[in-house]
Amino acid sequence: MPPRRRVPADRGLAAVRAWVEAGGQVERATLATAVVHTLEELAARHPGRTCEIRVPPFGVVQAISGPRHTRGTPPNVVETDAATWLALATGTLTWPDAAASGLVRASGSRSDLSACLPLSPATGRVLGIG
């Protein structure tokens, strides 16, 4: 069963596009919509419950196939801020660069999201941007 989406695709894409075009300087509501949409997109493309991806205070999803987590803190966790998450999702920042600079906190053997990101290349074509 695919994850339930809270953000309609057209609204989510518009928010991501606005974030890209404004160089990250958008209203909080637009930022929240863009983050939630990209988290939902990650979960839809990489279903599972092995890794929890957190972008406080905007959202959290469980994704990536493998052993299922059911209670307590998951064994695989990724946490970052909204700007870093959107840069990773859109391809303006690479996973290795974000991890090396400490912009993401990742723990667990299945917390490396380099194979899942970006959700779109820097041009934004996959997410409908650009």
Side-chain angles (χ1 to χ4, degrees):
M1 180 175 178
R4 180 181 67 89
R5 293 209 182 222
R6 297 183 328 191
V7 177
D10 59 338
R11 207 171 101 214
L13 291 172
V16 174
R17 186 177 295 112
W19 182 85
V20 169
E21 291 172 356
Q25 302 301 310
V26 293
E27 294 180 7
R28 183 175 171 87
T30 303
L31 180 64
T33 300
V35 168
V36 171
H37 172 70
T38 52
L39 285 170
E40 290 174 346
E41 187 64 24
L42 176 75
R45 292 182 187 192
H46 303 280
R49 294 191 169 272
T50 295
C51 185
E52 187 166 283
I53 300 93
R54 303 172 180 168
V55 184
F58 301 111
V60 60
V61 294
Q62 289 186 355
I64 316 301
S65 62
R68 185 175 175 184
H69 159 72
T70 56
R71 291 187 195 192
T73 301
N76 303 288
V77 176
V78 171
E79 188 167 334
T80 191
D81 63 274
T84 300
W85 171 251
L86 290 172
L88 288 164
T90 59
T92 58
L93 177 65
T94 67
W95 179 265
D97 288 345
S101 64
L103 292 171
V104 295
R105 289 167 300 289
S107 62
S109 61
R110 294 178 184 251
S111 64
D112 183 342
L113 299 182
S114 57
C116 304
L117 298 169
L119 296 173
S120 74
T123 60
R125 288 192 184 115
V126 175
L127 282 175
I129 307 163

